[in-house]
Amino acid sequence: MSVAPVAAPSRAETPIVVEATKEPRRFTLGSLPLNLALILLTIIWVVPTLGLLVSSFRPGFLISRTGWWTALAPPFQFTLQNYSDVLQTNNLFTSFINSLTIAIPATVMPIAIASFAAYAFAWMRFPLRNWLFLLLVGLLAVPLQMTLIPVLSLFKSLGLSGNFFGVWIAHTAYGLPFAIYLLRNFFGALPGDLFESAQIDGAGPVTMFFRLVLPLSVPALASLAIFQFLWTWNDLLVALVYLGSAPQFAPMTVTIANLVNSLGSGYELLTAAAFISMALPLVVFLALQRYFVRGMTAGAVKG
Amino acid sequence: MSLDWIPYLIGAVVGVPAALILYIIGADWLIRRLPDRLQPRLRPWVWVVPALILVAALLIYPMIATAWISLLSKDGTRFVGLANFGSVLTDNSVLIAIRNNIYWLVFYTGLVLVFGLILAVLADRVPYEGPVKSLIFMPMAISFVAAGVIWRFMFSYQPPGQPQTGTLNAIWTSVFQQSPVAWLIDHRVNNFALIFAAVWVWTGFAMVITSAALKGIPPELLEAARVDGATELQVFFRVTVPLLAPTLTVIGTTLVIFALKAFDLVYVMTGGFYDTDVMARRMYGEMFNNQNFGTSAAIAMLLLLAVVPVLIFNLRRFQFQEAIR
């Protein structure tokens, strides 16, 4: 649309009379409202986060008295006090470590297990293969709520609830249908000739998996890893159910949810706490945006 | 986390993948010693069994068990038939939760699709498309808990006469000269306040996918319509939107599933009070606060029932995709 006239002159044979007469009109009438609308919407989308960020650096007595936007004009009164308070007094540092402790294994284990299964689903023939895969596709839509009560009592009887084991296992199993689905589609799209020539060279399935499939699938594995990491980092429900109320294991989402209950409108601590929990996902987002968007958009169907 | 967890952490991150690799290599070594005819029959199962065991134990078996528990009494000792469903569906507070889920289903899904479509189309026409899309997508990176804190702060309320520290009430009282609204407590608006927070998070998701589909539309189609005298609005509604319909449907199914499972935002922002409860939050409440597994499982079953149409749609779509592969 708006890109077309830029490209048109390079193609000498393209008659551009129609575009040339239309283009100026669209620029004068269409562009200003269009730009204003887009910028307005973008501002609406950014302001909530910006307000939180600015507030987290404001002294508590000001947060409860004046709006965050007043901080943008002199006198500038900013402080790191909220961050040091919330890290020291509210277990937030422990929770940060707990979130990492939950999210790293909960990313590595499902991807490891899923990649083996996905390879079989993509490149091996066996009875029930299509039915089993259809089952996994169906499970993508099933609400986790359907599993909570029996899994919790299973974990309780095995001593796996109230500590990290249960959360690790739960995240691993819950992550499998989507991980297998995504990897199987990616593995299956690899060119079949590669496998044939490797087979002629005498490579078995194990060699092909480690030497061919995994190296060629790094982009898919990266997208999946980022998706799964953020999914588990941001999870509240699984942690609430399987960790219970033990504060020494609580990840940041649980600790902040508890802070909201206990502090109510004690926003100076809440804003700092929320921003600490957002920092890592935002860094991942900014650094690995392409993989990130691919993983999130492919993966948000997950149950 | 205390330090005694470090060995387990290493075990999970290094030990589990290493054990899996050894298992695959060892099993394959054994299989290669079997008769040629058996090898291809056995080998696939070696590769899928670890995943299948976990899926069976933590997804399939619990689903069946939940269906059974929903037919049992509160403590799980007596069979009560459909009594739990009867008590759930006549409980006014559950009916409010179901009504709220319908609000979520309609308004959350609709608004995310509309905002995503508008933003994708607008951003497609400006040179600063990349930065705009990054900023809109950013909320997808953060947790709903953080989003809940952000929006509690946006919606925060002070009594009339006092300076409003919440962004929304500040605009509402100064620009529109209205008296402040307790957005999260006032029954007329609080569900929509929660829904809008979710819309804010998910719009970027719809926008990115819609935008990718938009760029796949051949420009000649749009030009042809313009040459025939169609206005920009006509081109949008008669050409662009119909061409995007399959993509919007797929995004819609994802949003519908999420709308039914909405939990975190409600849990953090209102705790389900002030008539804002939803089924997933209620199910959790029945499970932990009331210790009533029977009704809790019954609510979970209702959620599953609501998801079934989407599930069937997904399966059909998957089979169609497989057929054209």
Side-chain angles (χ1 to χ4, degrees):
Chain A
M1 298 178 218
S2 59
V3 195
V6 185
S10 63
R11 278 178 279 146
E13 77 285 0
T14 318
I16 52 167
V17 189
V18 181
E19 286 177 7
T21 53
K22 284 195 73 161
E23 214 43 46
R25 188 172 59 92
R26 217 182 301 152
F27 258 105
T28 47
L29 283 175
S31 271
L32 189 63
L34 182 149
N35 281 293
L36 282 179
L38 186 59
I39 290 169
L40 182 71
L41 279 169
T42 311
I43 289 172
I44 293 175
W45 247 258
V46 172
V47 156
T49 318
L50 190 71
L52 181 91
L53 179 64
V54 171
S55 295
S56 69
F57 292 108
R58 299 182 75 207
F61 68 92
L62 281 180
I63 294 184
S64 53
R65 276 183 217 161
T66 57
W68 59 270
W69 51 90
T70 54
L72 300 176
F76 296 110
Q77 286 174 288
F78 291 114
T79 171
L80 288 173
Q81 191 65 38
N82 303 330
Y83 284 90
S84 69
D85 280 357
V86 82
L87 283 173
Q88 277 164 12
T89 56
N90 293 299
N91 278 331
L92 215 72
F93 180 72
T94 317
S95 302
F96 190 91
I97 302 293
N98 287 344
S99 283
L100 277 178
T101 310
I102 290 169
I104 294 172
T107 303
V108 173
M109 293 197 290
I111 294 180
I113 296 169
S115 50
F116 289 115
Y119 178 63
F121 276 115
W123 289 103
M124 294 179 192
R125 300 194 160 277
F126 54 98
L128 295 179
R129 180 181 77 162
N130 293 339
W131 285 108
L132 285 174
F133 199 73
L134 213 56
L135 178 76
L136 292 175
V137 174
L139 284 175
L140 288 174
V142 171
L144 282 190
Q145 278 74 15
M146 278 300 289
T147 67
L148 298 180
I149 297 171
V151 172
L152 181 63
S153 50
L154 182 76
F155 282 173
K156 269 187 180 154
S157 63
L158 297 172
L160 299 174
S161 71
N163 57 52
F164 292 127
F165 291 128
V167 195
W168 286 343
I169 297 170
H171 275 311
T172 302
Y174 294 161
L176 278 177
F178 172 65
I180 297 173
Y181 174 75
L182 184 108
L183 290 178
R184 178 265 192 187
N185 287 352
F186 193 89
F187 293 169
L190 294 172
D193 310 353
L194 271 177
F195 294 91
E196 279 168 31
S197 52
Q199 234 163 359
I200 294 168
D201 291 344
V206 177
T207 321
M208 287 198 285
F209 177 75
F210 287 107
R211 295 278 176 82
L212 268 182
V213 174
L214 284 190
L216 287 173
S217 306
V218 170
L221 293 168
S223 298
L224 180 60
I226 292 170
F227 171 78
Q228 178 73 12
F229 180 82
L230 289 179
W231 186 273
T232 48
W233 178 272
N234 288 336
D235 159 78
L236 173 70
L237 181 63
V238 172
L240 269 181
V241 171
Y242 299 129
L243 283 173
S245 51
Q248 71 270 29
F249 294 118
M252 260 186 306
T253 46
V254 173
T255 306
I256 293 174
N258 289 338
L259 278 180
V260 172
N261 283 332
S262 60
L263 293 175
S265 48
Y267 279 110
E268 67 274 16
L269 295 180
L270 272 180
T271 51
F275 210 76
I276 293 170
S277 83
M278 289 158 57
L280 191 67
L282 287 181
V283 167
V284 173
F285 169 68
L286 294 172
L288 301 165
Q289 200 167 339
R290 201 151 44 94
Y291 293 117
F292 176 83
V293 171
R294 214 182 287 153
M296 287 304 276
T297 50
V301 289
K302 189 174 118 128
Chain B
M1 182 193 73
S2 61
L3 291 179
D4 16 314
W5 275 88
I6 288 178
Y8 297 116
L9 182 61
I10 295 170
V13 175
V14 183
V16 169
L20 265 174
I21 292 170
L22 284 179
Y23 156 76
I24 290 284
I25 292 175
D28 201 73
W29 185 85
L30 282 175
I31 285 176
R32 269 185 278 121
R33 263 131 204 87
L34 291 172
D36 276 353
R37 234 164 33 81
L38 275 178
Q39 286 191 22
R41 281 201 207 164
L42 224 56
R43 183 173 281 124
W45 294 105
V46 169
W47 291 67
V48 293
V49 147
L52 289 187
I53 289 175
L54 271 169
V55 169
L58 276 89
L59 290 166
I60 307 290
Y61 150 73
M63 284 175 65
I64 299 165
T66 298
W68 172 242
I69 293 169
S70 74
L71 306 174
L72 301 180
S73 61
K74 178 175 176 173
D75 51 2
T77 51
R78 274 182 311 112
F79 182 83
V80 294
L82 295 175
N84 289 322
F85 291 89
S87 69
V88 160
L89 288 172
T90 50
D91 181 335
N92 197 37
S93 61
V94 176
L95 291 178
I96 286 176
I98 293 176
R99 179 205 67 186
N100 291 342
N101 269 109
I102 294 171
Y103 283 163
W104 277 79
L105 213 57
V106 175
F107 294 103
Y108 159 80
T109 310
L111 287 174
V112 170
L113 284 174
V114 168
F115 275 121
L117 179 63
I118 290 174
L119 282 161
V121 171
L122 292 183
D124 192 47
R125 295 162 169 239
V126 298
Y128 47 92
E129 178 179 11
V132 164
K133 278 161 71 177
S134 293
L135 287 172
I136 306 274
F137 195 80
M138 204 157 60
M140 278 295 280
I142 67 175
S143 64
F144 286 112
V145 174
V149 173
I150 287 176
W151 281 93
R152 270 178 69 104
F153 192 51
M154 285 292 285
F155 289 135
S156 90
Y157 164 84
Q158 308 290 336
Q162 292 190 26
Q164 294 296 328
T165 52
T167 310
L168 211 62
N169 269 326
I171 295 172
W172 190 244
T173 51
S174 63
V175 179
F176 296 98
Q177 296 292 324
Q178 304 287 321
S179 52
V181 178
W183 302 101
L184 293 177
I185 295 172
D186 190 322
H187 292 223
R188 288 165 302 174
V189 292
N190 54 6
N191 277 301
F192 302 101
L194 289 177
I195 290 170
F196 191 78
V199 170
W200 176 77
V201 175
W202 276 77
T203 293
F205 166 79
M207 176 200 65
V208 165
I209 298 178
T210 311
S211 175
L214 193 65
K215 297 196 188 309
I217 296 178
E220 298 82 35
L221 281 178
L222 306 174
E223 273 318 310
R226 291 196 187 109
V227 170
D228 288 347
T231 64
E232 283 303 301
L233 273 182
Q234 283 175 325
V235 172
F236 176 74
F237 282 110
R238 302 274 178 81
V239 184
T240 310
V241 170
L243 285 172
L244 290 178
T247 309
L248 296 176
T249 313
V250 172
I251 302 170
T253 56
T254 304
L255 298 177
V256 163
I257 296 175
F258 175 77
L260 291 170
K261 296 190 315 176
F263 171 82
D264 304 31
L265 274 176
V266 178
Y267 183 89
V268 172
M269 290 177 73
T270 62
F273 293 109
Y274 323 115
D275 284 356
T276 59
D277 214 356
V278 287
M279 285 163 81
R281 220 280 333 152
R282 181 59 189 249
M283 186 254 161
Y284 174 86
E286 287 293 325
M287 187 177 167
F288 282 94
N289 306 341
N290 301 348
Q291 304 278 328
N292 193 336
F293 289 170
T295 52
S296 184
I299 297 174
M301 289 297 287
L302 292 178
L303 268 180
L304 180 71
L305 218 64
V307 165
V308 164
V310 182
L311 201 153
I312 291 171
F313 175 84
N314 278 354
L315 289 178
R316 289 245 178 92
R317 189 165 59 89
F318 171 73
Q319 282 180 316
F320 174 72
Q321 282 172 345
E322 288 300 294
I324 60 170
R325 255 158 81 100

